[in-house]
Amino acid sequence: MAVDLDPQLLDILACPSDDHAKLVVGTPADPDADALTCTECGRQFRVDDGVPVLLLDEAIEPGEQPADQ
């Protein structure tokens, strides 16, 4: 299931790291994943029931596998 966020919201969301870079829907491996990926650092943030979880402690680092895989 792909993330379905309002385009205006997606335009203002940014990675909570110091980079504050734009987020894109999906992951590099799965463009339809329920996640947002930072265009700068590559961290992946899950989206639960349409709500992005933008916590660095909850993010999946680049190269790291999600816990459910």
Side-chain angles (χ1 to χ4, degrees):
M1 176 181 202
V3 174
D4 186 27
L5 293 175
D6 183 308
Q8 290 179 322
L9 177 61
L10 194 54
D11 281 345
I12 61 171
L13 288 178
C15 180
S17 74
D18 292 336
D19 301 318
H20 302 296
K22 179 177 172 64
L23 297 170
V24 294
V25 174
T27 66
D30 183 5
D32 291 329
D34 286 333
L36 298 173
T37 301
C38 177
T39 56
E40 183 68 29
C41 67
R43 286 184 183 96
Q44 299 169 19
F45 300 91
R46 73 177 191 277
V47 177
D48 291 339
D49 296 323
V51 179
V53 181
L54 299 178
L55 301 170
L56 289 174
D57 291 343
E58 302 271 335
I60 299 169
E61 297 290 330
E64 189 178 310
Q65 290 295 318
D68 62 351
Q69 288 189 0

